[in-house]
Amino acid sequence: MKILLIAGGWSTEREVSLSGAAAMRQALVARGHSVTLFDLLESFDSLLQTAQAYDFALINLHGAPGEDGLVQAMLERVGCPYQGAGPAGSFLALNKAAAKQIFRQAGLPTADWEFLPQPPPPGWRPRLPYPLFAKSNTGGSSLRLGRARDKQELDAVLASIFAAGDEALLEPVLPGREVTCGVLGEEALPPILIEPLAGDFFDYKSKYASDGARELCPAPIGPELTARAQRISLAAHRALGLAGYSRADFILGPDDSLSLLEVNTLPGMTATSLVPREARALGMDFGQLLERLIELGLREHAHS
C-alpha cells in the first residue's frame, strides 16, 4: 500500500512526532508498504495535492496542528482515508476544558476544574484549593504543566502558559498513581500503571527519559479495577465521538477511585509507547498494530 506518513508539524511536540514517525516508517516498510514521510512544517502548502496520490495517510502529529482535527478535515476534502478520530472528535478531545464538560455530562468521573482562557485580573484567586496543577488547555506531553502550592507558584506556571499563547486549565492535585488505558476499535486494551522515577508526577522527563518511569503492563490493579478503567476508557472514547483508537489517562486514588484526566486521539506510536505496549500484551506486535489502524481507518472512511 502507498502510505503518506504525516509527522513533524510546528507544535512544541515536533521532535516527539518525528521520532515516532521514524519507528512507524521502519515497521511499515518491513511489512512491504511504500511509505513517504511528509513533514507538515516543510510541506503544509502541498498537503492536499500530495495526499491525492496516496492510498492512505497515517497521521503521527501531536498537539496542533494534528490533534486539533485540521489535517483530518483537509484529508477528507480530497478523499484520502486516515486512521483515528475525525475532525470534530479530535478538536473536542484536544481541548481539555471542553472534553471535561463532555465527560461530566456523560457521567464519567473527572476532577473539578477551572478554565482560564486569558490571564486573570489583579486580585484574582483560584476557586479550587491548593495544591493545584496548572496545565496548557490544548498542550500535550506534559509540557507547560506545573504544580503550585501557593499563589506565587501558580502565577509563575500561568505566566509560562500564557506567554506561549495557550489557555490554562486548573485542576486539584489528586493523590494516587497514574493509569492509562487504550482503546483499539471497539475494544479496551490492558491498562498500564505508571510509576514516575524522575519526579513526583508523569511530566515530560518521566515520559521520554529512558529512566523516567516504570510502566507496568498489564497494570497490577486487580480485575475489578482493570474492568472499570477499560469501561470508562471506552465510554469516554464514545462520548467524544472518536474512531479507531485513543488512550485515556487516569489518576487511581488510594480509595480505588478513578479520575479521568484526558483522552489522547493521536497517542505516542513508537514500539515502546503506551498503546503499542498494551497491544503487545494481547500478542499484537508494533507492525500488526499499525496494520490494524490502517484496516480500521479504511473501514471508517468506506462508510463515510
Side-chain angles (χ1 to χ4, degrees), residues 6 12 16 28 39 46 71 93 112 186 209 212 218 230 249 251 276 292 301:
I6 304 173
T12 53
V16 175
L28 289 165
D39 187 338
S46 63
V71 170
D112 291 337
E186 285 296 309
Q230 291 175 319
D249 298 335
I251 293 294
R292 177 65 172 149
H301 293 279

Side-chain angles (χ1 to χ4, degrees), residues 202-218:
F202 199 40
D203 59 5
Y204 185 87
K205 181 179 179 181
S206 298
K207 286 184 178 181
Y208 298 111
S210 59
D211 60 348
R214 183 184 297 112
E215 299 167 352
L216 306 176
C217 182

Side-chain angles (χ1 to χ4, degrees), residues 17-103:
S17 165
L18 290 172
S19 175
M24 294 170 72
R25 184 181 185 280
Q26 182 178 8
L28 289 165
V29 168
R31 298 181 71 88
H33 295 286
S34 171
V35 183
T36 299
L37 178 63
F38 185 93
D39 187 338
L40 206 66
L41 175 63
E42 300 173 353
S43 307
F44 179 78
D45 286 342
S46 63
L47 175 60
L48 292 182
Q49 180 182 359
T50 303
Q52 292 180 88
Y54 286 80
D55 302 314
F56 194 86
L58 265 176
I59 306 169
N60 193 60
L61 295 162
H62 305 303
E67 287 186 275
D68 61 353
L70 173 64
V71 170
Q72 293 85 340
M74 294 179 70
L75 292 173
E76 289 184 5
R77 286 287 176 148
V78 293
C80 181
Y82 56 86
Q83 97 284 10
S90 298
F91 188 71
L92 290 171
L94 180 66
N95 190 300
K96 297 180 181 69
K100 285 174 75 72
Q101 289 190 56
I102 291 171
F103 300 154

